[in-house]
Amino acid sequence: MGKLPPQALEMEEAVLGALMIEKDALTTVVDILKPESFYKDAHKEIYRAILDLFAQSEPVDILTVTQQLRATAKLEMAGGPFYITELTSRVNSAANIEAHARIITQQSIKRELITIASEIQRDAFEDTTDVFQLLDRTEQNLFTISESNIRKNFADMRTLMQQAIKELEAKKDHEDGLTGVPTGFSALDRITSGWQRSDLIILAARPGMGKTAFVVSAMRNAAVDFNMGVAIFSLEMSSVQLVNRLISAEAELESEKIKKGNLAQYEWEQLHYKIRNLESAPIFIDDTPALSILELRAKCRRLKAQHDIQLVIIDYLQLMSGDSSGKGGGGNREQEIASISRALKNIAKELNIPVIALSQLSRAVETRGGEKKPQLSDLRESGSIEQDADMVIFLYRPEYYGITQDESGNPTTNMGEVIIAKHRNGSLDTVQLKFVGKFTKFADMDTGNLSPFGSATFPEMNAIPSEFDMPPGTITLGSRANRGVPPSSGPAPDDNPPF
């Protein structure tokens, strides 16, 4: 027995008949059905005629539909006046028209999937087919079917108000007012409310400013502190090198010691204690060299579907390659970078997640006098980067250029500036962060202890009660290091204190 494409001819006839006997029926299905949703060509033409009449604010009935088809020379193709009249006899009302329309749409989606599958099979047998282009085209076609057939309907004000109040109540638990993916830097989060969904963020700086250190710190904060999935595509460093940076920053051990493995026993204990947070963090690292935009798009879709990632980081943009077919750039590097930046913005919108792309700045910064702060015009190789980005952030460390004081006379030692030069949905500002070079990390300016055994390393040490928390009558003894200093209470320490 042969096979017929999925279809629902009886439903199609019932829907068209209902549209011609009730004038308001079309408003129920106009956002569900398209002419292409119908299997029978005659039904496609009749539905097009009904849509044309609706667009012209004309009444829809047997006579007007017949006249519209006659005017467009499609009456015979649609089956003639007798067939159109016969359709109205199939139904008595439009009571179930929405349910019928959804069944027609489901059959249409099945036919589209069969078409795509046939094209995949045909192209896969061709020796000249680029397999990565075929994968990308297939994923894009499937996404297009999903987007075009699953439409969002309108909502009444009562429903929207309830949803808005529910979101506000959820936000009140977040004192910092975060609405996006947190950066972990309080001053930056106050301005941006976190990395916003569907935004393309360009982080640009000259070499040596700490671009990778900044995004690794932000990535760690989102994944460890807020348990949000993060994917980083490292085109410059290997995955192991990147993990070593994470270990150095998390355990607060000097990167040189991590590189050489020259650690004391207490440092090994400190390392193993601290990396427990990293082991369970939802961080996914890909160090594929010269990653193409086609591969990136496919991998991001897969990570979003399998692990629900909330943030994508590319380190860095200029190391990516454009369309492998060579059609996009035409040998022009500026056009290739432009196509890459547009593709990154499309990925952010398609997956509804923020995408952070690191970028190099031109050497014009070095030749400029004064503070050598970067500007938007310094973005390298393409002005389209500035155009496509929702936010452009520059990293600037005055200490790198031998500037020891800022404009207010404050020291610039271990200080980095995050300059928000473009912010499509917010204000422009400059945020100061602490740059800890030996740990290759950024932190808030007001964060405390960075010593190996400080509270930042072993939080449970903060649980030791102070003298004010101790019960009455407790004797507090001074330490050997404070010999000669009167204790807070009790007698002076003797030569053999109990501990």
Side-chain angles (χ1 to χ4, degrees), residues 395-410:
L395 279 184
Y396 171 69
R397 292 197 296 115
E399 186 181 17
Y400 183 85
Y401 294 108
I403 301 173
T404 57
Q405 291 183 336
D406 60 14
E407 298 172 353
S408 303
N410 299 317

Side-chain angles (χ1 to χ4, degrees), residues 18-161:
L19 291 176
M20 289 187 285
I21 63 175
E22 289 196 15
K23 63 177 183 179
D24 296 327
L26 183 60
T27 58
T28 305
V29 300
V30 71
D31 60 340
I32 301 175
L33 290 177
K34 301 173 293 182
E36 295 77 17
S37 301
F38 292 86
Y39 176 71
K40 194 172 181 178
D41 289 339
H43 295 167
K44 293 179 183 178
E45 298 302 331
I46 295 172
Y47 187 67
R48 281 198 185 96
I50 293 173
L51 291 179
D52 291 341
L53 291 169
F54 180 76
Q56 298 166 19
S57 300
E58 296 288 340
V60 178
D61 55 34
I62 297 173
L63 297 178
T64 54
V65 171
T66 302
Q67 180 57 37
Q68 178 67 23
L69 288 167
R70 186 178 286 115
T72 56
K74 298 291 180 64
L75 183 57
E76 294 304 319
M77 186 183 298
F82 177 77
Y83 183 71
I84 296 171
T85 304
E86 192 180 32
L87 288 174
T88 59
S89 65
R90 304 294 176 92
V91 290
N92 295 320
S93 71
N96 300 318
I97 189 171
E98 183 175 352
H100 296 164
R102 296 197 181 280
I103 293 174
I104 295 172
T105 300
Q106 291 172 13
Q107 301 303 315
S108 174
I109 293 174
K110 289 181 179 179
R111 293 196 300 272
E112 290 183 35
L113 291 174
I114 291 172
T115 301
I116 292 174
S118 300
E119 292 176 353
I120 295 171
Q121 187 178 31
R122 182 196 63 207
D123 292 341
F125 276 108
E126 292 289 336
D127 294 335
T128 57
T129 300
D130 187 317
V131 66
F132 297 108
Q133 285 187 350
L134 179 59
L135 279 173
D136 182 70
R137 189 164 64 247
T138 301
E139 290 181 344
Q140 186 62 46
N141 289 338
L142 291 174
F143 180 78
T144 301
I145 292 175
S146 175
E147 287 294 299
S148 60
N149 288 285
I150 303 175
R151 295 183 179 274
K152 186 178 180 180
N153 205 351
F154 65 86
D156 60 85
M157 196 60 186
R158 180 185 297 275
T159 304
L160 291 174
M161 286 295 291

